[in-house]
Amino acid sequence: MSAEALLAWARGPAFEVALVIFIAGMLLRLFEILSLGYKTDLSEARGSGVQGGLRTLFSRSLPRPSILAKEPLRIINSFVMHIGLLAMIFLFGPHVAVFESLLGFGWPNLPSGVIDALSAMTLITLVVALMLRLNNPVLRFLSTPGDYWAWLVTLLPVLTGYLAYNHLLLPYTLMLALHILSVELLLISAPFSKLTHMFSFALSRWYQGYKAGHRGIES
Amino acid sequence: MAEEITLLESLRRRGVSRRGFLKFCTATASLMALPPALIPRVAAALEQAKRPSVIWLSFQECTGCTESLTRSHAPTVESLIFDHISLDYHHTLQAAAGDAAEHAREEAMKQHHGKYILVVDGSIPLAENGNYSTIAGISNLEMLKECAEGAAAIVSVGTCAAYGGLPMAKPNPTGAVGVSEIIKDKPIVNVPGCPPIPTVITGVLAHFLVFGSLPELDHLGRPKVFFGQNIHDRCYRRPFYERGQFAETFDDEGARKGWCLYKLGCKGPITYNACATNKWNEGTSWPVESGHGCIGCSEPGFWDFGGLYKALSVPTGNIGSTAVAAAALGVAAGAGLAAMNRSKKQAAAKAHETMTVTDLNKET
């Protein structure tokens, strides 16, 4: 198959299949979690559960000073990685065009050069994340193949995107096809791996925050 | 028929001075990206070059490639070259018709066997025994095979001859293919484009005249000297891409300011051609300069890229309805799962027997 045909396939049928699996799979997982339901809390409310839930959605996104002091590299690395990923996905011009075609509306984008720098930085943070995992005996022991898989399917789109943008290694057409295919691999994997946290993080933070808020605990 | 005189002699007869000839050699060398030191070699080779016989076969095509060539501007490289080759057979340009035309082709093939250049434009239909396109009762496939046999080299002019082009677009009813899908035992150079840049066609012929061989080719059989550069890399709008400034419509403020046309479907990033450097119409302009994105016409299968006006990153399918169907599927499956879990929970609650202190005492 030529690079052109591969690109056409990646942008066409392959993307549709990946999108169906991603949307259906993710909704299935979210329903699965939601259907677990709350345990009825009969205690008298000492605070607002809703307020607690909303607060935690944001507060848990910030590093806890105690943990930051203990493992600054891991925390900062993780922060930079997530910010880099979000900026790359949502603020790169060609990506905004994809969302525009899906949603019917778009938003401003960052200069491509900035995204390029961010992707280089994100690549470094992903390598650091793997090294931190491998160098820590406890973490290494706790790691499952699923953890490494999640790392790989996150790395591949960033790597291929970086190489494609900079016209490195392979001709652009082939690299663009590989980039789109790697994104599709990520989409297909997301509902069935720990990458589900891209949505479920909100549910768990809300749940913890709601419970804490109900009990009047500042979380 | 090809005359046995040299190119220099032929030019002299047409009133081209020695100085004019050297200027032409310099332009030719420059066109082929040769170092200036090779200009004398180009001049020496062209001085001695005999007018080569060229047989031009037009198959499933629109004559755009010939149109492109005939609109080359005098007295440039292309017109000089084409004044001084012996174009022995070309449907559109030859005076002869009918039997006379076919005899001219046969005569040229016989007289210059093993030495003539075969130029092909248009794709070759293979479906229905090739009956979709015939010339003088001969199918394109048959004529190509017949003419290729005695050719020194084949030049596939235009995307149709190179890769199948428009006739090969899905669903390809005629079973169209490019020349290289059929002829495997001859040197073939692809000069794709819809149409190709005239100077690129003539540059390839000039290379053959000077060196007696075809230029260095890329993985798609295209001369690297013309197709080695990416349109996007050479585009004068590239700084706007870097700055993230994209035209959203063809007439918005961004478009007027010359911003990048990526979002309007420009295929520059995946297209290799000389448009950005050689330009068209006497170097006047090229598609991106005139406000339209590159359509990727020198790439195989460019008609099936998913729309000329869809950004390269954008999926080509009917994503909206697919997403809605997927969401419905996910919600239904999720609701089913939730119902199953609930009934399991209820069954467990029903089956649950409450233990009393008496029960516990019984066990001890």
Side-chain angles (χ1 to χ4, degrees):
Chain A
M1 189 186 257
S2 69
E4 293 72 24
L6 189 68
L7 178 62
W9 184 71
R11 290 174 67 206
F15 188 87
E16 284 200 64
V17 170
L19 193 72
V20 167
I21 295 175
F22 176 73
I23 294 177
M26 211 50 107
L27 282 169
L28 178 69
R29 290 298 300 272
L30 294 179
F31 260 81
E32 200 180 349
I33 296 167
L34 286 170
S35 71
L36 293 172
Y38 281 136
K39 202 172 179 185
T40 319
D41 191 344
L42 301 171
S43 65
E44 189 186 335
R46 276 179 279 178
S48 165
V50 174
Q51 264 181 28
L54 285 174
R55 191 173 54 237
T56 318
L57 274 179
F58 297 100
S59 67
R60 292 265 166 113
S61 303
L62 300 170
R64 293 187 170 217
S66 56
I67 301 173
L68 184 62
K70 205 176 166 194
E71 284 207 82
L73 179 60
R74 185 186 304 283
I75 302 299
I76 291 168
N77 190 62
S78 167
F79 255 83
V80 174
M81 184 186 81
H82 279 89
I83 291 168
L85 283 172
L86 287 173
M88 258 184 281
I89 295 168
F90 295 108
L91 297 175
F92 181 43
H95 292 176
V96 174
V98 177
F99 288 109
E100 212 169 335
S101 79
L102 290 171
L103 307 170
F105 60 89
W107 46 82
N109 54 275
L110 279 178
S112 312
V114 174
I115 299 292
D116 185 41
L118 278 173
S119 60
M121 201 174 67
T122 310
L123 276 175
I124 295 169
T125 61
L126 279 162
V127 173
V128 170
L130 182 69
M131 281 163 61
L132 287 172
R133 183 179 285 277
L134 291 173
N135 281 332
N136 185 320
V138 177
L139 207 55
R140 199 170 60 230
F141 176 74
L142 290 172
S143 298
T144 63
D147 291 315
Y148 295 110
W149 177 254
W151 177 86
L152 184 69
V153 295
T154 309
L155 175 87
L156 287 177
V158 186
L159 183 65
T160 51
Y162 181 81
L163 293 175
Y165 176 83
N166 290 292
H167 291 211
L168 297 170
L169 202 65
L170 295 171
Y172 181 85
T173 310
L174 182 57
M175 200 49 101
L176 179 64
L178 293 178
H179 174 60
I180 296 174
L181 287 171
S182 69
V183 172
E184 286 157 8
L185 189 65
L186 174 76
L187 288 175
I188 290 168
S189 298
F192 314 106
S193 67
K194 69 180 206 173
L195 295 174
T196 312
H197 81 263
M198 67 176 71
F199 291 113
S200 66
F201 82 97
L203 293 181
S204 58
R205 282 182 195 169
W206 169 270
Y207 182 70
Q208 297 299 336
Y210 183 91
K211 275 173 64 172
H214 185 80
R215 291 175 192 166
I217 303 166
E218 285 285 333
S219 62
Chain B
M1 204 59 52
E3 291 172 44
E4 287 301 312
I5 59 162
T6 63
L7 183 60
L8 180 65
E9 180 53 33
S10 167
L11 287 166
R12 200 172 284 145
R13 284 186 196 175
R14 294 180 67 89
V16 175
S17 66
R18 174 85 190 157
R19 184 183 169 79
F21 174 67
L22 286 175
K23 272 172 77 179
F24 160 60
C25 293
T26 308
T28 305
S30 154
L31 182 73
M32 293 189 289
L34 296 173
L38 274 181
I39 295 171
R41 191 176 158 189
V42 172
L46 287 181
E47 271 175 8
Q48 298 308 316
K50 301 281 193 303
R51 294 174 68 212
S53 170
V54 171
I55 296 176
W56 184 301
L57 301 178
S58 301
F59 296 145
Q60 287 195 133
E61 46 85 45
C62 67
T63 316
C65 298
T66 298
E67 287 282 349
S68 170
L69 199 64
T70 54
R71 265 131 187 87
S72 62
H73 41 282
T76 57
V77 181
E78 58 267 49
S79 60
L80 281 169
I81 288 276
F82 265 81
D83 278 343
H84 301 93
I85 59 168
S86 175
L87 193 55
D88 289 335
Y89 181 80
H90 189 305
H91 282 169
T92 318
L93 302 180
Q94 72 192 143
D99 279 351
E102 292 312 304
H103 286 318
R105 178 175 63 84
E106 285 158 13
E107 188 60 31
M109 280 165 58
K110 208 167 107 190
Q111 199 176 335
H112 304 285
H113 192 269
K115 286 187 282 187
Y116 61 83
I117 300 172
L118 180 65
V119 179
V120 180
D121 73 323
S123 63
I124 302 98
L126 297 182
E128 305 287 340
N129 296 321
N131 286 340
Y132 277 103
S133 178
T134 60
I135 298 161
I138 308 167
S139 76
N140 292 169
L141 178 65
E142 211 178 316
M143 190 178 277
L144 173 65
K145 283 182 175 170
E146 195 185 317
C147 293
E149 202 264 320
I154 302 175
V155 183
S156 298
V157 166
T159 305
C160 296
Y163 312 124
L166 174 61
M168 206 189 72
K170 282 173 193 160
N172 189 7
T174 65
V177 294
V179 172
S180 57
E181 293 288 315
I182 297 162
I183 307 298
K184 304 286 183 188
D185 58 349
K186 290 283 170 184
I188 299 176
V189 56
N190 289 331
V191 186
C194 196
I197 301 173
T199 50
V200 174
I201 307 174
T202 51
V204 170
L205 295 174
H207 191 286
F208 191 79
L209 280 175
V210 173
F211 298 105
S213 65
L214 294 175
E216 194 189 348
L217 307 177
D218 71 0
H219 70 291
L220 290 170
R222 304 176 294 197
K224 274 186 182 170
V225 61
F226 300 113
F227 294 90
Q229 292 290 334
N230 186 264
I231 292 281
H232 185 57
D233 283 344
R234 290 293 179 133
C235 183
Y236 76 106
R237 293 183 192 239
R238 179 68 182 260
F240 294 105
Y241 175 85
E242 298 299 337
R243 275 150 52 182
Q245 291 175 313
F246 300 100
E248 299 287 339
T249 64
F250 283 107
D251 59 352
D252 69 0
E253 203 195 337
R256 280 196 289 275
K257 284 180 176 169
W259 288 2
C260 179
L261 302 170
Y262 184 94
K263 284 191 175 178
L264 297 173
C266 181
K267 304 292 183 290
I270 60 163
T271 305
Y272 291 78
N273 206 338
C275 303
T277 43
N278 284 34
K279 298 193 179 181
W280 293 77
N281 300 324
E282 299 185 50
T284 306
S285 183
W286 61 295
V288 171
E289 195 172 336
S290 59
H292 195 285
C294 167
I295 61 170
C297 75
S298 55
E299 300 300 312
F302 81 100
W303 290 104
D304 295 325
F305 277 172
L308 300 180
Y309 301 101
K310 256 192 179 170
L312 261 178
S313 56
V314 169
T316 53
N318 191 0
I319 295 302
S321 52
T322 305
V324 171
L329 182 74
V331 168
L337 199 73
M340 220 164 72
N341 286 340
R342 188 154 299 160
S343 70
K344 228 190 234 177
K345 211 163 140 185
Q346 280 167 354
K350 227 181 248 174
H352 176 72
E353 289 177 19
T354 313
M355 271 201 158
T356 61
V357 178
T358 330
D359 293 332
L360 289 170
N361 286 339
K362 262 186 214 165
E363 284 185 21
T364 53

